[in-house]
Amino acid sequence: MKYSLRTKLTVTYALVALICVLLISILSNIFLENQFRDYIVTKQEIQNEEIAKQISQQYIEDGDWDVASIENIGLLALDEGLIIKAKDNNNNSIWDATVHNSGLCTAMLDHISENMTSRYPNWEGEYIENSYSLVKDSNVVGTVEIGYYGPFFFNDNELAFINTLNNLLIFVGLFSLFAALALGYVMSRILTKPIAKAVNFAQSISDGDYTLRIVNKDNTKELLQLTDTLNSLADTIQDNELMQKRLTSDVAHELRTPLTTLQSHIEAMLDGIWKPDKQRLESLHSEIVRITKIVGDLESLTRLEEGNINIHKEKFDLTNHIKNIVTGLELRLKDKQATIEVMGPEVYLEADKDKLSQVIINIISNSIKYIGYGGSVKISLSETDSWINISISDDGIGISDEDLPFIFERFYRSDRSRNRETGGSGIGLTIAKALIKAHKGTIEVKSILGEGTEFLIKLPK
Ligand code: ADP
């Protein structure tokens, strides 16, 4: 059986309240009532002694008593539920409540018995008498027997007090129970509302709608974490989906042009329009080389993005290594009558030599591509306590502000038609960035259109 969070919370709150109320009621009933009974018994004893003392004061002398005052005391005591029988030393009655008004005594005892059975239905009380000596000036002048409904009894005021206390406890108990139920319900609503929202949101993600986001105004830490996580999950899935769609369309786009050229040229040769001479075959060959390069670049990029990238670090002289790379590119520099300069101290670096070469060659090649005749490329190296900086700058055509934020994205080329002539696929910098990231470094670009471009690579030592 599955229960909602709301039901569980409400029931739990109510149960906790019920247990607390029961415990408080039982304990307070036992302790308070016991305390009250003890108080009543003690009070009774003190009252009896006080009555005996008051009657003793009514002894005049030579066996004479102020009977009228004793009667007053006796009648007041009767009001309190006490039956007084005062006797002198010769056991002669001085004043006896039962003789004075036997009916009233019986009525009083019946009334008290009723009080007690109304409070305790199985009450087994009985009439008991206690005897006290009457002492005047250190002489025993008689005895008084005080009879009452025992072992203890509540008069009307006391009964009213204990009943009010009980009713108050019942009221507090019921009130707490309702308050707990209401609070549990409200609390569960507060908690379940954002959870239900999160569940619906997760459902919409699983149904393929990644565009929605949850706004959570709740101040519960865990719920905020939950909605934040779901929102960033939706962001990631949406980005991935977008990337996947873009990749497919970009790949199709990139491959279509060379394939169409190949197709039309081969068809022209098959139809006898063109002769398959060396020049034409070379042109077909260069298109195939382009396609192979794009596919190869894509393959390495996929491997890099999947994290399947093995970095084999070795310590080497970076300055010298860059100088060697530059020597390898001299032919291309000569074509443009361009100059290249490597500046900076001898810097040693621990990194994957081949992969770092790939990055540097890509950036320098781009610079050579985009500088004019007689242009220049400058490479400068520097180091701090924990970083090695490589700056590669050129005075080439530069990159416009609109293009600059995107040049590390795959297939991004600032000028597609021109770029096709230069043979670029727009993947080189994407790969470069992934390789630098795999070294836990960073790569940044600064450029001014028409003035030049600078790439700044930072690698940890
Ligand atoms: P490509 O293979 O097309 O050169 P890259 O990813 O290496 O691809 O470069 C992406 C784009 O960034 C290039 O097409 C070019 O538009 C721009 N770019 C890169 N380096 C430079 C540079 N030094 N000067 C001007 N533009 C550059």
Side-chain angles (χ1 to χ4, degrees):
M1 190 90 160
K2 285 175 186 158
Y3 298 100
S4 70
L5 190 60
R6 187 174 295 183
T7 315
K8 280 187 174 176
L9 270 175
T10 313
V11 171
T12 311
Y13 262 77
L15 272 179
V16 170
L18 196 70
I19 292 168
C20 288
V21 165
L22 279 177
L23 266 178
I24 292 171
S25 310
I26 292 169
L27 291 179
S28 61
N29 230 354
I30 293 172
F31 287 114
L32 273 178
E33 195 142 338
N34 278 352
Q35 199 75 13
F36 192 63
R37 283 184 195 189
D38 289 349
Y39 157 77
I40 293 291
V41 171
T42 316
K43 186 206 85 171
Q44 189 63 66
E45 191 53 38
I46 293 170
Q47 196 182 13
N48 290 355
E49 281 166 9
E50 184 57 29
I51 288 170
K53 206 170 133 196
Q54 281 176 11
I55 294 175
S56 308
Q57 304 300 320
Q58 310 314 319
Y59 181 74
I60 304 170
E61 55 181 9
D62 298 332
D64 267 354
W65 293 83
D66 181 350
V67 179
S69 296
I70 294 176
E71 188 175 302
N72 271 344
I73 296 167
L75 289 175
L76 280 175
L78 193 58
D79 272 352
E80 298 282 316
L82 303 173
I83 292 162
I84 305 292
K85 291 175 185 169
K87 291 176 187 168
D88 63 14
N89 274 342
N90 301 324
N91 219 16
N92 296 323
S93 174
I94 306 166
W95 190 82
D96 188 332
T98 50
V99 174
H100 177 79
N101 192 341
S102 156
L104 190 60
C105 289
T106 322
M108 179 55 75
L109 287 175
D110 286 349
H111 178 65
I112 289 172
S113 165
E114 252 170 49
N115 271 4
M116 294 311 275
T117 37
S118 78
R119 173 90 199 129
Y120 311 106
N122 301 321
W123 184 256
E124 281 174 6
E126 54 181 355
Y127 180 72
I128 50 173
E129 273 183 345
N130 284 343
S131 185
Y132 300 84
S133 299
L134 298 171
V135 181
K136 178 92 188 253
D137 303 332
S138 308
N139 298 318
V140 177
V141 288
T143 53
V144 61
E145 266 162 20
I146 301 176
Y148 56 93
Y149 194 82
F152 68 90
F153 67 90
F154 295 148
N155 63 28
D156 289 351
N157 286 340
E158 288 155 355
L159 187 72
F161 169 76
I162 197 92
N163 281 342
T164 310
L165 192 74
N166 246 41
N167 291 342
L168 200 75
L169 278 176
I170 291 170
F171 171 76
V172 169
L174 285 176
F175 179 79
S176 315
L177 199 66
F178 281 119
L181 273 171
L183 211 72
Y185 181 75
V186 172
M187 196 63 203
S188 63
R189 263 186 77 87
I190 292 174
L191 277 179
T192 50
K193 221 171 146 191
I195 293 180
K197 235 166 127 183
V199 170
N200 288 341
F201 178 58
Q203 186 59 51
S204 64
I205 294 180
S206 95
D207 291 344
D209 184 357
Y210 316 124
T211 52
L212 295 174
R213 294 292 178 273
I214 327 181
V215 184
N216 190 355
K217 291 188 188 120
D218 199 272
N219 59 0
T220 314
K221 214 169 125 193
E222 287 79 2
L223 291 176
L224 278 175
Q225 275 171 345
L226 174 70
T227 46
D228 283 353
T229 313
L230 282 174
N231 276 338
S232 70
L233 175 75
D235 282 345
T236 315
I237 298 178
Q238 196 177 24
D239 285 353
N240 281 349
E241 200 198 39
L242 217 79
M243 234 167 74
Q244 228 169 20
K245 278 185 189 157
R246 241 192 53 199
L247 178 65
T248 319
S249 83
D250 283 348
V251 171
H253 179 85
E254 290 304 317
L255 294 180
R256 189 177 304 117
T257 320
L259 284 173
T260 316
T261 315
L262 277 179
Q263 188 186 359
S264 59
H265 287 197
I266 290 173
E267 277 170 6
M269 287 177 200
L270 286 173
D271 294 346
I273 302 167
W274 278 358
K275 270 192 184 161
D277 57 21
K278 187 171 184 271
Q279 194 195 347
R280 292 208 163 106
L281 284 173
E282 265 171 8
S283 147
L284 294 183
H285 181 255
S286 74
E287 285 301 327
I288 290 171
V289 169
R290 248 177 71 75
I291 297 173
T292 316
K293 185 177 179 303
I294 292 174
V295 173
D297 281 352
L298 270 174
E299 253 175 9
S300 7
L301 188 62
T302 312
R303 269 202 304 275
L304 288 178
E305 284 179 345
E306 278 173 354
N308 288 340
I309 175 168
N310 292 322
I311 299 288
H312 301 292
K313 284 192 177 178
E314 57 181 302
K315 200 162 184 150
F316 60 94
D317 179 346
L318 180 66
T319 319
N320 198 35
H321 185 61
I322 292 181
K323 281 180 181 158
N324 288 340
I325 292 177
V326 167
T327 314
L329 295 167
E330 248 165 18
L331 207 72
R332 290 176 58 193
L333 283 158
K334 250 188 196 157
D335 288 348
K336 282 202 165 174
Q337 309 213 326
T339 56
I340 191 160
E341 209 182 333
V342 183
M343 296 171 292
E346 211 168 66
V347 171
Y348 281 84
L349 173 70
E350 204 178 337
D352 189 315
K353 208 170 170 181
D354 287 343
K355 296 201 167 74
L356 196 65
S357 303
Q358 193 182 340
V359 174
I360 290 169
I361 291 172
N362 185 277
I363 294 173
I364 300 178
S365 302
N366 277 349
S367 287
I368 298 173
K369 252 194 257 175
Y370 299 112
I371 52 172
Y373 279 89
S376 80
V377 181
K378 285 189 179 114
I379 302 160
S380 81
L381 297 160
S382 63
E383 63 182 311
T384 64
D385 283 350
S386 39
W387 296 94
I388 284 176
N389 305 315
I390 311 165
S391 150
I392 302 169
S393 59
D394 64 59
D395 57 0
I397 59 167
I399 305 164
S400 70
D401 286 348
E402 305 96 76
D403 290 325
L404 208 57
F406 307 106
I407 62 158
F408 290 106
E409 292 193 13
R410 76 183 97 192
F411 294 122
Y412 197 86
R413 292 174 307 208
S414 51
D415 182 340
R416 288 180 174 245
S417 54
R418 187 200 61 231
N419 201 276
R420 188 167 295 288
E421 280 163 29
T422 53
S425 64
I427 300 177
L429 285 180
T430 319
I431 293 179
K433 188 166 185 175
L435 287 174
I436 295 296
K437 198 174 152 201
H439 278 86
K440 301 197 168 34
T442 59
I443 179 166
E444 283 169 17
V445 62
K446 291 180 204 156
S447 187
I448 298 173
L449 196 63
E451 288 188 19
T453 306
E454 181 187 6
F455 283 89
L456 226 152
I457 299 170
K458 269 178 90 174
L459 289 164
K461 272 183 168 174

